[in-house]
Structure formats: structure tokens, C-alpha cells
């Protein structure tokens, strides 16, 4: 006699994705992509000038290397348009996969480009093309990673969870410069110049493969899945309806980029070439400041959840404006501890605002154009602050004495950003009312 079975009940709903897993994958991906981006900046400060522009004077060679560095920033807004369109039309998840693959392949290829002595003018041309592709991929990475995390996070903790992708850049920076530091300390100058600088670029291939494996199982953003109608041409809608917001966010973020790359890229070249400070000492000072910055990021993000995004952004801009002259004075001493102090305070001022940006920018834009709008504003700020700062600072600092012109430039950028943040609204969700007591 066959046993009867009760009919099966309704299938259980799928388990929601782990927010911790999403945040970890976003952090790992941004760390890998910013590793790719930062390793180029360090190489530009240390070796690319004489290897790819040997017919230039040392100063002109450094300026030319920083110009190729700036090309990556010019490409980032274009990447945000391209990948923003994909993110607003097809989802945030595909953006994470394609952008990581593109940036990783371009970075490995940079490590394989022959120098000027081998192939002539084709060498710097190839460098420019590959740097452009790096920037194109990174332009899509930030928007996809931040939105996937922010749109999964509960509103009252969105700042904290969205800070995980923002911790990716310091991890990427430390990894990139840590490898450079080890190579610089263990190889002779001839070995480092000949092949040692290429090793971190080759390592990008393994990192990209690991990142793709980690991201392959991520779930799509719930905000994207809930959209009933997607923007047909997201960029056109952003330009038509949100152009003022894009310009304000770009101007507001310029100081973060300017301060960060003044510390991590320009100061490295300046101290090594002009103050005769060793590469190892400079990389150690900068990395130590970035370690503290990374550790403080979630703390600042939690303060943003409690007190609001805009107040922290205004505070960070004000601190930057007040600290640029002291930072340059400390840098000019050439003393490691004093330089570290200057870099540390600058990094803390920087992260006071940038820790909350990953929650702030998505909240400023409506979901249907959020991937395009937030990414374009973020990456235009990179052009204003990141692309120009090493070039302008190097040109301004070419005279003798303390480079006060650099301090004046950075202070002016901080005041510009302060004004832009003052014109932006607060977006922090209102706290839930306390339950009524009997």
C-alpha cells in the first residue's frame, strides 16, 4: 500500500542577498580598480618621464608623464556616461563586471609597453591609449559599486554601508604603493627602472580575475528591479533636467581629488626630485597617512548617518582650506615626521567629506538616472581636481623655495568646493519617530 504524501506547500521565498557580501564585493572591486589607477600615478611620479619622454628635460618629462596620468581622469566622465547608460538601462551588476575586466586588461598591457628607446614615439602613444582605457573602466566602476551597495542598504545605515566601496581606494592605494615600496627597497635603481616598475602592472591581471570571481554571484539592486520604466537615454535626461546638480556635485568634489593627488602623486615627485628625499621614505609617509584615512572612513560615515551628509562635507572643505598652507610648509622641510603630519591632517580633512559621498550622491538623483547622474558628477570632479592638480602643482612649484603657489591653488579649490556644497541640499533620511508610550 502506497503512503500518501501531503501536497507540497508554496515554495519558500528566496533568501535576500547578504548585505555584508555585497559590501565586501564592492570594496574588493573598487580596491582592485583603484589599484590599477593608482599604480600608474606612482609610476608617473617615479619612472615614466625618463623612460617614455627621454628627449625632454627632467621637469618637462615629469609634466608629460603627469599629462598621461591626467588622460585617465578625462576618460572617467566618458566611462561614467557609457557605463551609466548600461547601469540605468540594464542594471548595476553588468557594469561591475565589464568595467573591472576593461581596467584590468588595460593595466596589464601598460606593464608590457616597450619604452621610447625601443619603439620611439609609439611608446608614449600606446601609454596614452591604455591610460584612457583605464580611466574609461574606472569611470563606470564607482557608480556601479556604490549604487549596488547603497540601494541594498537600509536608509538609516546607508552612509555606513556605502562607505565600504569608499574604503576600496585606500586599500588599492596601499596595495599599489606597498608593492612599489618593496620593489624600490629591494631592487637597485637600474633594476627598478629596467623591469621592476612593470611588476605591479602585471599583478593587476591576477587581481582582476579574483575580483570577477567574487562579483559573479552578486544580486541586482532592488531599486533597479522595482523601476517600472527606465530612462531611454539617461544622459539626455540628466543634462536636460539635472545639469545644475551635476555641475554643483563636480565642483563640490574637486577639492577631494585635488588634495588626495597633491599628497599621493605630486608631493611624491616633488620630494624625490627637488628635496632629495628617498622614494622609500616618501612612500612610507604617504602610505601611513592613507592607512589612518582608511580606518577613519566608516567612523565618518556613521557620523554622516547621524548628523547629515552636508554638514560633514562643509566641515571637510573648511578643514582643507585651512590646512593647505601648513601642509606645504611641513612638506618643504623634507623631515619625514613633519611631512607625515602634513599628509595625515590633509587625509583626515579629505575623508571627512568623501566618506559620506557614496551615500550623498545617489540620494541626490532619482533612481531612473541615478547611475549616470551620480557617476558623471563624481568623475567630472575628478577632472577638475585630479587631472589638473599634479600638472598645475608641478608647474607652479618649479621655482626655488617653498611652493606657496601650490598651497594657494589647493586653498582656492577648497573654497570653490565649499561654495558648491553650500548650494546642495541635505539628503539624509529623516529618523523614524520613537514609538508612542502609554
Amino acid at each position: 500500500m502506497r503512503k500518501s504524501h501531503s501536497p507540497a506547500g508554496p515554495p519558500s521565498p528566496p533568501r535576500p542577498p547578504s548585505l555584508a557580501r555585497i559590501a565586501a564585493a564592492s570594496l574588493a572591486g573598487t580596491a582592485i580598480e583603484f589599484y590599477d589607477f593608482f599604480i600608474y600615478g606612482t609610476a608617473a611620479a617615479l619612472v615614466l618621464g625618463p623612460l617614455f619622454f627621454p628627449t625632454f628635460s627632467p621637469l618637462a618629462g615629469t609634466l608629460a608623464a603627469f599629462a598621461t596620468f591626467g588622460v585617465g581622469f578625462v576618460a572617467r566622465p566618458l566611462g561614467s556616461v557609457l557605463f551609466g547608460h548600461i547601469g540605468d538601462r540594464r542594471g548595476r551588476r553588468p557594469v561591475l563586471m565589464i568595467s573591472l575586466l576593461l581596467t584590468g586588461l588595460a593595466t596589464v598591457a601598460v606593464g608590457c609597453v616597450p619604452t621610447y628607446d625601443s619603439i620611439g614615439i609609439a611608446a608614449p602613444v600606446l601609454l596614452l591609449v591604455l591610460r584612457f582605457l583605464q580611466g574609461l573602466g574606472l569611470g563606470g566602476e564607482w557608480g556601479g559599486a556604490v549604487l549596488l551597495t547603497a540601494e541594498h542598504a537600509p536608509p538609516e545605515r546607508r552612509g555606513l554601508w556605502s562607505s565600504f566601496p569608499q574604503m576600496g581606494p585606500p586599500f588599492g592605494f596601499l596595495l599599489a604603493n606597498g608593492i612599489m615600496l618593496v620593489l624600490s627597497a629591494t631592487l637597485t635603481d637600474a633594476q627598478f627602472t629596467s623591469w621592476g616598475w612593470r611588476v605591479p602592472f602585471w599583478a593587476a591581471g591576477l587581481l582582476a580575475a579574483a575580483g570577477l570571481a567574487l562579483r559573479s554571484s552578486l544580486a541586482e539592486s532592488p531599486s533597479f528591479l522595482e523601476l517600472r520604466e527606465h530612462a531611454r537615454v539617461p544622459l539626455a535626461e540628466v543634462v536636460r533636467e539635472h545639469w545644475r546638480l551635476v555641475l554643483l556635485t563636480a565642483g563640490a568634489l574637486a577639492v577631494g581629488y585635488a588634495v588626495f593627488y597633491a599628497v599621493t602623486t605630486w608631493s611624491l615627485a616633488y620630494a624625490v626630485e627637488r628635496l632629495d628625499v628617498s622614494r622609500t621614505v616618501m612612500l612610507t609617509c604617504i602610505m601611513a597617512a592613507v592607512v589612518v584615512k582608511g580606518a577613519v572612513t566608516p567612523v565618518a560615515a556613521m557620523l554622516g548617518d547621524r548628523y547629515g551628509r552636508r554638514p560633514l562635507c562643509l566641515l571637510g572643505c573648511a578643514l582643507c582650506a585651512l590646512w593647505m598652507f601648513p601642509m606645504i610648509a611641513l612638506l618643504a622641510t623634507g623631515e619625514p615626521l613633519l611631512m607625515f603630519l602634513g599628509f595625515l591632517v590633509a587625509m583626515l580633512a579629505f575623508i571627512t567629506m568623501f566618506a559620506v559621498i557614496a551615500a550623498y550622491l545617489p540620494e541626490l538623483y532619482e533612481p531612473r538616472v541615478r547611475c549616470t547622474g551620480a557617476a558623471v558628477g563624481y568623475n567630472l570632479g575628478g577632472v577638475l581636481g585630479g587631472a589638473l592638480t599634479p600638472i598645475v602643482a608641478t608647474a607652479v612649484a618649479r621655482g626655488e623655495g617653498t611652493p606657496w603657489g601650490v598651497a594657494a591653488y589647493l586653498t582656492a579649490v577648497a573654497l570653490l568646493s565649499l561654495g558648491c556644497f553650500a548650494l546642495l541640499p541635505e539628503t539624509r533620511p529623516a529618523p523614524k519617530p520613537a514609538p508612542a508610550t502609554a
Side-chain angles (χ1 to χ4, degrees), residues 146-198:
V146 163
L147 290 188
L148 199 66
T149 306
E151 292 180 341
H152 273 100
E156 66 277 7
R157 288 289 181 267
R158 186 175 294 134
L160 174 60
W161 286 108
S162 299
S163 71
F164 278 80
Q166 291 296 80
M167 286 188 279
F171 275 107
F173 178 86
L174 292 172
L175 183 59
N177 284 272
I179 294 176
M180 278 290 195
L181 180 60
V182 170
L183 292 169
S184 179
T186 56
L187 300 178
T188 66
D189 285 346
Q191 290 172 326
F192 183 82
T193 303
S194 175
W195 57 267
W197 68 271
R198 297 181 183 273

Side-chain angles (χ1 to χ4, degrees), residues 341-431:
L341 176 61
F343 298 155
L344 175 62
V345 177
M347 288 290 98
L348 292 177
F350 158 80
I351 205 56
T352 300
M353 69 186 97
F354 262 57
V356 300
I357 287 300
Y360 194 22
L361 259 64
E363 289 170 346
L364 287 168
Y365 292 87
E366 56 183 297
R368 57 186 276 115
V369 295
R370 182 173 286 160
C371 196
T372 300
V376 169
Y378 183 84
N379 288 296
L380 280 177
V383 176
L384 294 175
L388 295 178
T389 294
I391 299 171
V392 171
T394 300
V396 169
R398 60 185 175 181
E400 297 297 327
T402 304
W404 297 120
V406 177
Y409 168 76
L410 294 173
T411 302
V413 176
L415 293 175
L416 168 68
S417 295
L418 183 66
C420 291
F421 273 123
L423 295 173
L424 288 171
E426 177 57 72
T427 61
R428 180 175 64 105

Side-chain angles (χ1 to χ4, degrees), residues 231-243 366 368-369:
R232 301 187 66 178
V233 185
L235 178 63
E237 189 168 327
V238 167
V239 171
R240 185 175 61 251
E241 300 181 13
H242 304 286
W243 62 269
E366 56 183 297
R368 57 186 276 115
V369 295

Side-chain angles (χ1 to χ4, degrees), residues 194-375:
S194 175
W195 57 267
W197 68 271
R198 297 181 183 273
V199 173
F201 290 91
W202 296 335
L206 296 176
L207 295 174
L212 289 170
L214 185 60
R215 286 182 163 182
S216 61
S217 60
L218 290 181
E220 184 53 80
S221 156
S223 294
F224 178 81
L225 295 175
E226 291 169 3
L227 286 177
R228 297 181 179 273
E229 181 182 355
H230 301 290
R232 301 187 66 178
V233 185
L235 178 63
E237 189 168 327
V238 167
V239 171
R240 185 175 61 251
E241 300 181 13
H242 304 286
W243 62 269
R244 181 177 179 272
L245 182 57
V246 170
L247 293 179
L248 284 176
T249 52
L253 298 180
V255 64
Y257 285 101
V259 170
F260 186 85
Y261 287 101
V263 170
T264 62
T265 302
W266 169 75
S267 69
L268 176 60
Y270 177 80
V272 171
E273 295 173 6
R274 300 284 297 279
L275 304 179
D276 292 325
V277 181
S278 75
R279 287 193 303 257
T280 303
V281 169
M282 281 305 298
L283 287 171
T284 301
C285 290
I286 295 169
M287 288 172 61
V290 173
V291 166
V292 179
K293 163 190 168 289
V296 171
T297 299
V299 178
M302 287 189 288
L303 292 174
D305 279 331
R306 181 167 184 178
Y307 298 108
R309 327 296 190 206
R310 186 168 167 268
L312 265 72
C313 291
L314 293 171
L315 175 61
C317 285
L319 292 174
C320 286
L322 293 171
W323 187 246
M324 291 304 96
F325 277 91
M327 184 190 79
I328 294 299
L330 293 170
L331 170 64
T333 67
E335 294 294 328
L337 288 177
L338 295 178
M339 291 190 297
F340 166 69
L341 176 61
F343 298 155
L344 175 62
V345 177
M347 288 290 98
L348 292 177
F350 158 80
I351 205 56
T352 300
M353 69 186 97
F354 262 57
V356 300
I357 287 300
Y360 194 22
L361 259 64
E363 289 170 346
L364 287 168
Y365 292 87
E366 56 183 297
R368 57 186 276 115
V369 295
R370 182 173 286 160
C371 196
T372 300

Side-chain angles (χ1 to χ4, degrees), residues 40-210:
Y40 190 100
T42 305
L46 297 178
V47 297
L48 295 187
L51 291 178
F52 289 88
F53 304 95
T55 60
F56 292 16
S57 68
L59 175 61
T62 300
L63 283 169
F66 280 150
T68 64
F69 175 72
V71 166
F73 285 97
V74 174
R76 283 172 63 169
L78 300 178
S80 66
V81 170
L82 171 63
F83 289 104
H85 183 90
I86 297 172
D88 284 325
R89 293 282 296 166
R90 303 297 178 188
R92 321 311 192 199
R93 186 176 172 275
V95 171
L96 298 182
M97 306 299 289
I98 302 170
S99 62
L100 182 58
L101 181 63
L102 174 61
T103 309
L105 291 175
T107 304
V108 172
V110 169
C112 300
V113 175
T115 62
Y116 186 94
D117 288 342
S118 299
I119 59 173
I121 192 65
V125 170
L126 285 173
L127 209 60
L128 279 170
V129 171
L130 293 172
R131 180 59 176 172
F132 182 88
L133 293 177
Q134 268 193 327
L136 203 68
L138 190 62
E141 162 66 26
W142 186 86
V146 163
L147 290 188
L148 199 66
T149 306
E151 292 180 341
H152 273 100
E156 66 277 7
R157 288 289 181 267
R158 186 175 294 134
L160 174 60
W161 286 108
S162 299
S163 71
F164 278 80
Q166 291 296 80
M167 286 188 279
F171 275 107
F173 178 86
L174 292 172
L175 183 59
N177 284 272
I179 294 176
M180 278 290 195
L181 180 60
V182 170
L183 292 169
S184 179
T186 56
L187 300 178
T188 66
D189 285 346
Q191 290 172 326
F192 183 82
T193 303
S194 175
W195 57 267
W197 68 271
R198 297 181 183 273
V199 173
F201 290 91
W202 296 335
L206 296 176
L207 295 174

